[in-house]
Amino acid sequence: MTQRNEFSGWLSKRGAGPFGLYQARYFVLRGSTLYYYDTEASPKENGSIELLGACVMNQPSPAYGFSIGGHHVKRLFQLAASSQEDKDQWMAVLVAAAEGRREAGRVPTPSVLLQLSESHNLPSDQPPPPPAATEEDVESLPPTTPRSTPPGSADPSPSH
């Protein structure tokens, strides 16, 4: 059951173990915290990711992949959706949660999805994006600074 300001569904999460295998997990976004479970009916979460101030990054591999990292996030979380549409929806709500916007957890409108999609497309004459960031790359990022605009207001600066 989904509550107000909650977004949930299945994603594949890369494990932290030595082989880093992807496993299906059920994710629930509540406010600015993303919880993950073995199944939709699991009574207790396997873990959680505090998103406020985190960076949600597009990943070229695996298909429909993205990651969550940042100075305060305990490790780089690599996730994958089952379709481009699911990836776009997840990235939109996770970016909103990371930025502390009120619409975090709401299903994004088509215009938000279009803006997100366009912000991740490169012109054909540009080289492909660099490989995914490693945990060391994320740990070396400078601490995030508070935003100067109030949550929910328009901000022309790029998303994390």
Side-chain angles (χ1 to χ4, degrees), residues 89-139:
Q89 287 184 348
W90 274 105
M91 286 189 70
V93 296
L94 295 175
V95 165
E99 293 177 349
R101 297 195 321 244
R102 287 189 301 255
E103 68 270 18
R106 295 183 191 156
V107 177
T109 63
S111 64
V112 169
L113 291 175
L114 179 62
Q115 290 170 2
L116 179 67
S117 174
E118 289 172 349
S119 70
H120 291 289
N121 288 336
L122 294 172
S124 59
D125 61 339
Q126 289 200 4
T134 64
E135 288 184 47
E136 293 79 26
D137 294 334
V138 172
E139 289 172 357

Side-chain angles (χ1 to χ4, degrees), residues 10-12 63-66 79-87 90:
W10 288 95
L11 294 169
S12 294
Y64 317 120
F66 59 98
L79 307 171
S82 59
S83 70
Q84 186 65 46
E85 181 181 355
D86 284 352
K87 175 184 174 177
W90 274 105

